[in-house]
Each structure stands twice: as structure tokens, then as C-alpha cells.
Amino acid sequence: MDNHYSIYICGVGGQGIIKTSTIIGEAAMNQGLDVVMSEIHGMSQRGGSVSTELKIGGYNSSIIPKKGADMLLSFEPIETLRGLDKVNSESMIVYNTHPIVPSSSDKAYPSVDVITKTLKENFKNVLPIDGTQLAIEAGSVLALNMVLLGAVTADDRFPLTKESVIEAMKNNLKPKFHAMNLKAIERGYNSIKG
């Protein structure tokens, strides 16, 4: 593997997207890999669309071109659809199937089953995961980002080890939350590895 890997991370404000990017970046550096990360795009207040772009390896720019992402990591189904211009037929799509329905919208939220079916019909590497439920089981819905991080480390093509992600998590979160987040990482990992 050439250790060049790009990740488009998206979701809504309040889901831990920024912290997730920071932890991935630190884990990459802990493994001796170069990393560049974009500015945060979108509205980071609770409920607004948020995305970050992160590249591991010898890249000069953090911006992922259209169809250039190795992975789309999405915290919410509709945000997954919004991020599809970044993926190609080989990209890994990992997404939380639990919707966050905007209270201000008068449009019906599409069926998550239909979203999943459509994604699987059009892409080879689709991993839907009920990360919200797994986070609740680990101790708090706020551990969603750690569930999803655990899930991505289970992908053989992902360049970071689960151990380096755990180390970076411990460096970035308060010790009182370590046990819960460790459970969340393990639940996400095991949901993919079985």
C-alpha cells in the first residue's frame, strides 16, 4: 500500500465530525504518516451540514477532487447522498443509518431503506451501520463518532490501525469518557468484522 488515502467526512453539527477528523489526523501522525485536513465546511452549530476533507500521505492540498475520495464517512443518511460527488466505484461508503430529520423542513424524509438499496445498487463498497444505536449501547449517543471510527478501522484498506485510533482518542477526550468511547470503538469495529 502506498499510504495515500483520502477521506470525506460529513454529517450535521453536533455529531462530532470535527473531533473525528482531529483524531484521524493524530492517529495518522502517530503512525508516521503525513496528513492534511481541510477547513471545516458548513454550519457547525447543531443541525447544520458539516464536512471535512482529510488526506493521509504526501499530499500538497487537502481538497478532495470529485470522485477522488477513498472513503466517504457519513454520520447521517441524507448527508451521505450529499457527499456522493466525492466518491467513485471503488470508494468505501460507511454511513450511519439513523436519520436526523430537520424540524424546519416541510419535505418528507426519504426512506433509509431506499437510500441503502440505491447506494448498494450503484456502489460496490457500502457499509450501512446503525451507529446511533451502537453508541447508545456503549453509553451515550455522543459516542457515535467513535462507533463510526471503530467501523472504519475494520476495513482492510483503511491505513490506520484501531490501536492508533484508540491512542489518539485518549489524547483528545477527557479520561472520564475513555471507557465509554473504547466500548463504542469496539462495537463499531465488531459490527463490521463480526
Side-chain angles (χ1 to χ4, degrees), residues 100-159:
I100 296 179
V101 181
S103 57
S104 60
S105 176
D106 55 356
K107 294 179 182 170
Y109 195 98
S111 160
V112 174
D113 290 339
V114 170
I115 291 172
T116 298
K117 181 176 180 285
T118 303
L119 288 170
K120 287 186 172 184
E121 286 170 352
N122 290 284
F123 298 96
K124 289 192 276 196
N125 304 305
V126 178
L127 286 176
I129 176 174
D130 189 347
T132 300
Q133 182 58 42
L134 292 173
I136 291 167
E137 290 169 10
S140 171
V141 71
L142 298 176
L144 168 63
N145 57 347
M146 295 303 114
V147 169
L148 293 176
L149 268 177
V152 300
T153 63
D155 176 24
D156 294 335
R157 295 184 303 169
F158 190 67

Side-chain angles (χ1 to χ4, degrees), residues 45-109:
Q45 73 258 28
R46 194 164 299 278
S49 291
V50 178
S51 66
T52 64
E53 300 178 40
L54 194 135
K55 290 180 175 178
I56 297 168
Y59 291 102
N60 294 321
S61 165
S62 61
I63 302 302
I64 299 170
K66 283 189 176 183
K67 302 193 182 310
D70 293 298
M71 177 178 284
L72 168 62
L73 175 57
S74 176
F75 288 54
E76 202 278 337
I78 290 293
E79 297 303 323
T80 306
L81 298 178
R82 286 191 179 130
L84 289 180
D85 65 327
K86 294 291 186 179
V87 301
N88 58 62
S89 62
E90 298 299 314
S91 301
M92 177 61 70
I93 300 172
V94 178
Y95 68 100
N96 181 27
T97 58
H98 186 84
I100 296 179
V101 181
S103 57
S104 60
S105 176
D106 55 356
K107 294 179 182 170
Y109 195 98

